[in-house]
């Protein structure tokens, strides 16, 4: 179902990707500047900060399912035994 | 191109939105029952809401040449109160014979709690007992993966459920494959921020095809865009996809799924008849 070349796809995506990366960079700079003037991140917020780093590492990987992996990174875990844990009759 | 938005909450939109949708090519919408932004306090609050969906809103839509169908339930965001939910479930059959009701929805999970699961299972039972199609909400953000899997567990454990009559909405990259692989219909919700963009929806179409797949705006009172489906049509055209593929996604698929409901009496525009 893909009819366009990689050249075309990258050319048409370049400016929007560039803009989104700039937004990420600016947000991280903003966090760092705030850290310099105030208290450190709370533990639960720090976990979120670490997840952003993990997501950036995923972006740099060459796997074909980066979007799916980033979704899973930011997802709560699923346990097949959830019904037993919640005492829900199936 | 004529299109159908299979999930939009027009009760929360202004009349000008109907005019805009009509100008964009929208010929029909389906409106699942929804959380109003606050928890309703009594079963009579829901009775009034269901009258709005079955009596008032279809007329408002018809003024712009749009057919409005609806689904009934207590939304997962209000399902923590199991007692009230059961009162609403007992009242729903009063409305199931109404000519624009397609089934039970949007039921599902939101925070993936025990009470939400109990009310979801009771909705499934109601749908089966009254031979209704089902439209399902899956949670947002970090709850989506877990909640979708829990929902699929409950659906697949009930042998009475016909999977071809179940639409699991708000799928994204990490949930779409499981929904389609297990034989359900999947809906991609196009939202400005918190859900899927038209570009990402087009990516998923290129990976998974358009069989048993639909796209919707889920337009409501929050940040959302009721014309998101035309945005996806534009994106698919921009990428060079065939008109027949686009038409299947935004027109023929909704008709095929909705046609399983006895009350889906759709009147296509002249020269635009569909053979499924």
């Amino acid at each position: 179902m893909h009819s366009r070349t990689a050249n075309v796809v990258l050319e048409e995506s370049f400016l929007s990707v560039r803009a989104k990366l700039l937004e990420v960079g600016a947000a991280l700079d903003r966090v760092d500047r705030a850290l310099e003037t105030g208290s450190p991140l709370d533990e639960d917020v720090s976990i979120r900060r670490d997840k952003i780093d993990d997501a950036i590492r995923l972006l740099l990987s060459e796997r074909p399912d980066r979007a799916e992996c980033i979704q899973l990174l930011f997802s709560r875990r699923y346990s097949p035994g959830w019904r037993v844990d919640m005492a829900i009759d199936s | 191109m004529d299109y159908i938005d299979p999930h939009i909450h027009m009760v929360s939109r202004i009349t000008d939105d109907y005019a805009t949708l009509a100008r964009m090519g929208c010929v029909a919408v389906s409106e699942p029952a929804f959380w109003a932004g606050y928890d309703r306090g009594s079963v009579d609050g829901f009775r009034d809401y269901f009258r709005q969906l079955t009596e008032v809103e279809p007329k408002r839509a018809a003024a712009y040449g749009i057919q409005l169908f609806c689904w009934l339930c207590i939304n997962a965001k209000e399902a923590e109160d199991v007692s009230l939910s059961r009162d609403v479930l007992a009242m729903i059959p009063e409305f199931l014979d109404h000519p624009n009701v397609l089934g039970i929805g949007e039921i599902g999970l939101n925070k993936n709690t025990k009470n939400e699961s109990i009310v979801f299972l009771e909705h499934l039972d109601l749908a089966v007992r009254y031979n209704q199609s089902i439209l399902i909400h899956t949670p947002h953000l970090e709850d989506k993966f877990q909640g979708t899997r829990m929902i699929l567990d409950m659906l697949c454990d009930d042998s009475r459920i016909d999977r071809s009559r179940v639409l699991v909405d708000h799928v994204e990259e990490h949930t779409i494959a499981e929904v389609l692989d297990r034989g359900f219909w999947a809906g991609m919700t196009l939202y400005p921020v918190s859900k899927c963009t038209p570009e990402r929806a087009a990516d998923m179409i290129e990976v998974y095809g358009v069989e048993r797949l639909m796209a919707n705006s889920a337009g409501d009172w929050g940040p959302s865009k009721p014309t998101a489906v035309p945005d996806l049509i534009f994106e698919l055209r921009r990428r060079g996809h065939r008109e027949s593929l686009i038409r299947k996604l935004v027109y023929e698929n909704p008709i095929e799924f909705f046609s399983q409901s006895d009350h889906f009496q759709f009147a296509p525009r002249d020269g635009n008849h569909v053979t499924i």
Side-chain angles (χ1 to χ4, degrees):
Chain A
M1 207 179 280
H2 302 273
S3 58
R4 299 167 302 152
T5 66
N7 280 329
V8 169
V9 174
L10 184 55
E11 280 299 311
E12 71 182 22
S13 304
F14 182 75
L15 281 178
S16 65
V17 171
R18 174 182 179 275
K20 289 167 187 168
L21 290 172
L22 275 170
E23 288 294 330
V24 172
L28 295 178
D29 288 347
R30 211 174 298 136
V31 172
D32 288 346
R33 284 198 301 275
L35 282 170
E36 288 171 6
T37 58
S39 55
L41 294 175
D42 292 340
E43 187 177 345
D44 55 335
V45 181
S46 184
I47 289 171
R48 291 191 157 200
R49 178 67 185 82
D50 291 343
K51 284 203 171 181
I52 290 172
D53 283 345
D54 291 342
I56 291 169
R57 276 187 281 275
L58 274 170
L59 289 178
L60 288 172
S61 72
E62 294 187 2
R63 51 187 311 151
D65 54 355
R66 295 179 188 87
E68 180 178 349
C69 289
I70 290 171
Q71 289 277 24
L72 290 171
L73 175 69
F74 290 109
S75 296
R76 287 168 63 186
R77 300 300 96 184
Y78 159 77
S79 164
W82 67 271
R83 274 170 294 197
V84 175
D85 298 338
M86 287 189 186
I88 298 283
D89 295 329
S90 58
Chain B
M1 175 182 289
D2 284 358
Y3 80 93
I4 294 171
D5 192 331
H7 182 153
I8 187 168
H9 299 286
M10 293 306 293
V11 299
S12 63
R13 307 297 311 192
I14 58 173
T15 301
D16 284 355
D17 289 332
Y18 276 118
T20 302
L21 291 177
R23 290 188 183 105
M24 289 279 190
C26 183
V27 291
V29 298
S30 97
E31 171 147 8
F34 186 51
W35 182 60
Y38 66 98
D39 290 351
R40 282 161 280 214
S42 72
V43 68
D44 283 336
F46 282 91
R47 185 176 278 109
D48 288 343
Y49 175 49
F50 294 162
R51 286 191 59 198
Q52 187 179 9
L53 290 174
T54 56
E55 298 173 20
V56 178
E57 212 59 38
K59 292 175 186 166
R60 203 159 73 106
Y64 294 89
I66 295 172
Q67 285 185 262
L68 185 140
F69 302 93
C70 71
W71 306 71
L72 306 175
C73 74
I74 183 164
N75 191 278
K77 289 183 178 175
E78 284 174 277
E80 274 306 306
D81 186 339
V82 175
S83 176
L84 174 59
S85 297
R86 285 177 171 152
D87 289 343
V88 176
L89 279 158
M91 181 264 294
I92 286 173
E94 292 177 27
F95 291 88
L96 290 180
D97 287 335
H98 199 282
N100 78 327
V101 175
L102 297 183
I104 302 299
E106 52 178 312
I107 57 172
L109 301 177
N110 190 54
K111 293 297 180 187
N112 308 336
T113 66
K114 176 176 182 173
N115 284 353
E116 290 175 5
S117 302
I118 290 169
V119 173
F120 178 77
L121 287 167
E122 295 187 11
H123 272 112
L124 291 185
D125 183 65
L126 176 74
V128 168
R129 286 190 287 110
Y130 284 87
N131 191 31
Q132 298 291 309
S133 292
I134 297 168
L135 194 158
I136 292 180
H137 165 93
T138 52
H140 305 290
L141 304 177
E142 72 270 18
D143 295 313
K144 181 182 292 295
F145 178 72
Q146 181 193 52
T148 302
R149 295 293 295 266
M150 290 168 66
I151 285 166
L152 294 177
D153 285 347
M154 289 185 275
L155 287 166
C156 292
D157 275 356
D158 192 333
S159 61
R160 303 172 301 166
I161 289 175
D162 177 353
R163 299 183 190 190
S164 69
R165 292 189 66 187
V166 179
L167 168 60
V168 180
D169 244 330
H170 315 319
V171 298
E172 296 190 61
E173 289 90 344
H174 54 325
T175 57
I176 183 172
E178 186 91 18
V179 171
L180 292 173
D181 287 349
R182 295 211 198 185
F184 300 101
W185 285 77
M188 300 179 296
T189 294
L190 311 168
Y191 251 31
V193 178
S194 60
K195 293 181 185 171
C196 179
T197 61
E199 291 78 12
R200 285 170 50 210
D203 292 339
M204 284 189 267
I205 288 163
E206 289 174 349
V207 173
Y208 295 99
V210 293
E211 286 299 322
R212 284 184 283 114
L213 190 61
M214 291 186 244
N216 65 77
S217 71
D220 57 45
W221 46 261
S224 54
K225 190 177 182 190
T227 54
V229 176
D231 289 347
L232 175 59
I233 293 171
F234 175 75
E235 174 64 16
L236 290 168
R237 281 181 178 150
R238 199 179 65 80
R239 294 188 186 193
H241 288 289
R242 288 174 286 113
E243 290 294 296
S244 59
L245 176 139
I246 300 171
R247 178 179 159 87
K248 178 168 175 56
L249 178 79
V250 303
Y251 188 74
E252 294 169 3
N253 278 358
I255 289 174
E256 182 178 348
F257 178 73
F258 294 157
S259 293
Q260 299 176 98
S261 300
D262 292 339
H263 293 159
F264 187 67
Q265 302 300 318
F266 177 62
R269 286 202 258 222
D270 286 350
N272 209 5
H273 293 278
V274 177
T275 302
I276 301 296

